[in-house]
Amino acid sequence: MQSTLLGNPEDRLYRAYWQDGSLDLFAGIAALIVGVAWILDLVWLGPIAPALTVPMWMSFRSSVIEPRLGKIRFQNQRRLRLRRAHWIMVIVGLLVLAFGVFRYLHTHSDSGSELLQDWIAALPGALLGIMAIQAALLFQLPRFLLYGGVFLASGLLFSFWKLEPGWSIAAGGFITMVCGMGLLARFFRNFPQLPSELE
């Protein structure tokens, strides 16, 4: 009965693995870079940001998080799922952002209706919202559903205000980044670095 209530030890470790906030932080930074690049008319830089921040996040985890949490070695099947989920996020992120940028620029340059252009302006933020929801499902992180809602809402709101999509992307990324910083600060308080002989 007790083991049922506590759950599988590896499952508990897996849930704790994502609570440090580093994923939120780097996902927010990536979105913020995309948004700022868009605002500065450097849209081509957008698809590069996720590909750069993923290895930075993995390096940060291994050098900063794991010395405090301890090295967690999951079973082969779970490690394979994690690796697959990482690459799914990178590939889907690049495809989604590339599609969003192409579709927005293509429609923006056409002589289509103003209403259609306003809705298309909400597309990049909405696509990032879908990515956040995908991350929530892949990594079992309910808080990413909230981030997804923020991106979706900001995309619609900023398009209603007739602002460039970069503003909504930057706003969603900033909120995600700040939440990640808060989670990371709490993690550092709760998990001081382990002594070297115990690593």
Side-chain angles (χ1 to χ4, degrees), residues 175-189:
I175 291 173
T176 305
M177 180 184 71
V178 169
C179 291
M181 291 171 64
L183 289 171
L184 195 59
R186 185 182 68 179
F187 174 80
F188 285 154
R189 288 196 304 269

Side-chain angles (χ1 to χ4, degrees), residues 39 104 117-123 125 150-173 175:
I39 293 168
Y104 171 76
Q117 291 187 9
D118 288 344
W119 280 110
I120 292 297
L123 182 61
V150 169
F151 277 108
L152 290 169
S154 65
L156 292 172
L157 184 62
F158 280 83
S159 67
F160 177 77
W161 288 340
K162 300 187 185 302
L163 293 174
E164 289 291 314
W167 291 101
S168 67
I169 296 172
I175 291 173

